[in-house]
Amino acid sequence: MNDAVTWLEVLLNDIHPAVQFVAVGAIAVVPFLESYVGAMVGTMAGLPVPLALGAAIVGNVLALLVAVELGSRIAARLATTRSEQRSERHQKIVDRVDRWGVPAASLIGPVVMAISVTAFVMAAMGLNRRQVVVWQTVSIVAWGALFAAFGAGIFAMLGGA
């Protein structure tokens, strides 16, 4: 196992840090890999934790913004094609989910579903875009930091620098 870590360190030392940053960011754009896998892979590969975490956050936030935009467009399209307005009861439910459900779904959601998929669904439901983006970004940072720490620990256990 130490040979693999050494090989990975040697390989990464030959790659410019900007390319390393982009590679980790590219991992984080992919649903179900996102900031947590990107940050963990980056740190396990020997990248400094702030660099790996930063790249993973940037990549995942880009995917998040695209997902929220697409979900919002679907919500807007559905709103214009509906013949009747939302009932008062339906609006109260959406408001309640806006208030309490977005933070919970954002922070716990990655256990069940990808962050960008969760954001897409919430935006398509017509939930507050700002809340979705803010809470999903908090989730991206929290999960990314947690897995960056795991990756750094695994890297250290395997004999990395």
Side-chain angles (χ1 to χ4, degrees), residues 50-122:
L51 180 66
L53 181 57
I57 289 170
V58 168
N60 205 173
V61 167
L62 288 174
L64 165 71
L65 294 174
V66 169
V68 169
E69 180 62 28
L70 292 174
S72 295
R73 286 183 184 189
I74 288 174
R77 186 169 294 165
L78 289 174
T80 59
T81 59
R82 284 189 192 125
S83 59
E84 57 190 45
Q85 299 235 346
R86 286 183 175 166
S87 69
E88 185 177 325
R89 182 172 180 256
H90 186 253
Q91 188 59 45
K92 282 182 182 180
I93 292 170
V94 169
D95 290 344
R96 191 167 294 140
V97 171
D98 252 350
R99 186 171 181 193
W100 304 108
V102 173
S106 297
L107 296 171
I108 299 169
V111 173
V112 179
M113 192 170 23
I115 291 170
S116 53
V117 173
T118 304
F120 173 81
V121 170
M122 288 192 288

Side-chain angles (χ1 to χ4, degrees), residues 3 11 22-24 36 39 43 49 74 79-80 88-89 93 98 103 118 123 132-133 135 142 145 154 158:
D3 292 336
L11 176 68
V22 170
V24 171
Y36 34 93
T43 55
V49 173
I74 288 174
T80 59
E88 185 177 325
R89 182 172 180 256
I93 292 170
D98 252 350
T118 304
V132 171
V133 170
W135 281 104
I154 291 169
L158 295 177

